[in-house]
Amino acid sequence: MNTFFDSFLSALSLITSLDPALWVVVTRSLAVSATACLLAYGLGVALGAWLAVARFAGRGAVLVGLNTLLALPSVVVGLVVYLLLSRTGPLGFLGWLFSFKAMVVAQVILVVPVVTALTRQVVEDVERQHGEQWASLGAGPWVRSLLLAWDERLALLTIGVTAFGRAISEVGAVMIVGGNIDGFTRVMTTAIALETSKGDLPLALGLGLVLLAVVLLLNALVAGLRRWGEQRQGTRALAPQGGVA
């Protein structure tokens, strides 16, 4: 018990004193996940919105494959990216292995299916309600997908926040392709695993507390966005309709 409380107090001290060893890892982790999410979000929203309105042979199989990718283990993604970026791999000439870029690539692959699947579901639900109206005006699949995505921009923003939480809490892929190199590719999740194995419990616990705080903040942001959206819809519904009697 004393070890736990001593480690907890030491961890709080590291956080409040802005310990460089801790906050360098935190800022790098945030940078990797933010970069990956921005790239994955743009690609995932475009693909998801298009899948929601497009009709083509094999669409059902594509959706099954997309839903399967939601449960793709991060270590498998790390292994595939490692093989692609290794010296003997097809992309080895890039020299990205054990670098910031390699970790971003791995997280993009993990996050894109999440953003795509959730975006498709959101846009498809709206498509059932308003899609025929846009189609009757001559809007093609791409135009309809963009219009519907814009109409549901608040829900899509919530998806982006959810995707960031998925990225920043991931450990397997970035451990494999980043190498967990101190001062270069060490992020919060990989540092927690390493410091725990080394017995440096205060640093591991401090990083864990920061990671929990980030996840808590993300969940609070998602809840706030949803509540704001519900209140906004309620205000629109109660607003008086203009017009001539």
Side-chain angles (χ1 to χ4, degrees):
M1 295 296 292
N2 290 335
T3 301
F4 174 80
F5 287 113
D6 290 343
S7 298
F8 186 80
L9 292 175
S10 298
L12 290 178
S13 177
L14 290 175
I15 295 171
T16 56
S17 65
L18 302 179
D19 181 74
L22 184 145
W23 286 105
V24 164
V25 174
V26 171
T27 54
R28 184 177 300 108
S29 182
L30 292 173
V32 170
S33 297
T35 304
C37 280
L38 285 174
L39 296 173
Y41 185 76
L43 180 59
V45 168
L47 287 175
W50 179 75
L51 283 174
V53 299
R55 297 296 179 266
F56 54 89
R59 180 176 182 271
V62 171
L63 296 182
V64 170
L66 177 62
N67 292 330
T68 301
L69 291 177
L70 293 176
L72 186 64
S74 60
V75 288
V76 175
V77 173
L79 175 60
V80 172
V81 175
Y82 179 91
L83 293 174
L84 290 173
L85 296 179
S86 64
R87 183 175 300 178
T88 57
L91 300 178
F93 65 92
L94 294 174
W96 286 4
L97 193 60
F98 304 139
S99 70
F100 183 98
K101 295 177 181 178
M103 294 190 294
V104 169
V105 170
Q107 287 196 356
V108 166
I109 295 174
L110 281 170
V111 173
V112 163
V114 176
V115 178
T116 302
L118 294 177
T119 300
R120 182 201 65 81
Q121 189 61 60
V122 168
V123 175
E124 192 167 301
D125 290 342
V126 183
E127 162 77 2
R128 294 192 186 101
Q129 301 174 9
H130 308 293
E132 293 183 0
Q133 177 183 359
W134 292 113
S136 65
L137 296 175
W142 271 111
V143 175
R144 292 206 313 275
S145 65
L146 291 175
L147 292 172
L148 294 170
W150 174 253
D151 191 55
E152 290 298 313
R153 56 192 179 276
L154 181 59
L156 296 182
L157 182 59
T158 303
I159 291 173
V161 176
T162 303
F164 183 80
R166 167 76 167 103
I168 202 168
S169 59
E170 187 279 324
V171 58
V174 293
M175 177 80 81
I176 294 174
V177 302
N180 201 21
I181 304 171
D182 187 19
F184 293 97
T185 60
R186 186 165 296 171
V187 295
M188 282 190 283
T189 51
T190 60
I192 290 171
L194 177 65
E195 299 303 330
T196 301
S197 65
K198 289 167 54 180
D200 191 350
L201 299 181
L203 181 55
L205 188 56
L207 290 167
L209 291 174
V210 174
L211 182 58
L212 286 174
V214 171
V215 174
L216 178 62
L217 180 61
L218 290 173
N219 283 312
L221 182 58
V222 169
L225 287 172
R226 288 176 178 172
R227 179 171 296 182
W228 180 69
E230 291 171 356
Q231 292 176 348
R232 189 177 180 184
Q233 289 178 354
T235 302
R236 286 180 177 178
L238 294 174
Q241 299 296 321
V244 179

